[in-house]
Amino acid sequence: IGMLAEYVESKIPNLPKINLVKFPEELSLELKQKKPDLIGFSNYVWNSSLSDAYAKRLKEVYPDTISVMGGPNFPTDKDEQKKYLSERPWIDFYIVKEGEHALYKLINFFLEKKINSISQLSINDLKNELTQYPNLVYKKNDIFVSSNKLERVMDLSQIPSPYLSGRLDKFLDGKLLPITQTNRGCPFTCTFCTEGQGYWTKVKRKTRDVVEGEVKYISQKMNSLPSSKKRTDLLIADSNFGMFSEDLDTCKVIAEEQDKNGYPKYINVATGKNKKE
């Protein structure tokens, strides 16, 4: 969600700052204080019921708020997608696959049309224009619409680091597990995994300075916490860590931080399917 916010704000500099929320209690407090023009929910197998409950309740209190959901816990079959959205009328738009560019294009559409509520959207606007926007499915007045194209951010340097900008500082609290990612995509076609789909076949990497910068930044923040609050683990969210030569460079900077700051002591990764050595 940090990368989503950084990318959208870099593309729309005059956009009000996007607020990121992790804990349900914090979201409840935010929604009591003000009505959002647009709200986004992530949808994974471990939080889908919670996201649905909040999105449903939000529509009861603020029916004009535009609700967007994204994440891999969503069907790939068009008929199943239609059924999924029919059963969840509180979801206005669903972003499939990668989210950064699709969310930017959707928000920019609303801004260009001077739209800040779902009641201002006509079915003609949706059908005639949003079908040209990427990675988007939605249902309006019993009509199911799926965009004509799927897109990825092919150059990850276009996405500013939410760690290096300080956006994620409030989450580096010693409670939550720090997560970083050095690349996206997977060359394998395992059917049990969302990245086994052909959409993700090409592996795209972050630049070396961003990868090293994020490891050092997280290490520094963890090291600055009181000893009673420190976490000593790091999650690297790559699909095949250790399979690429660049991963050795990541290991070297981790080793440097271990020597200097004693962090991380434990690393959680999904290792590559080959190059086991």
Side-chain angles (χ1 to χ4, degrees), residues 33-50:
Q33 293 175 345
K34 60 182 178 181
K35 167 187 171 292
D37 292 323
L38 181 145
I39 188 166
F41 295 94
S42 63
N43 183 24
Y44 292 85
V45 67
W46 55 79
N47 76 337
S48 60
S49 296
L50 186 61

Side-chain angles (χ1 to χ4, degrees), residues 240-263:
N240 298 284
F241 190 77
M243 196 170 78
F244 304 101
S245 59
E246 293 91 342
D247 297 335
L248 288 174
D249 297 325
T250 304
C251 290
K252 289 175 183 176
V253 72
I254 289 174
E256 291 173 6
E257 290 305 310
Q258 287 176 326
D259 290 340
K260 185 167 65 175
N261 290 321
Y263 177 90

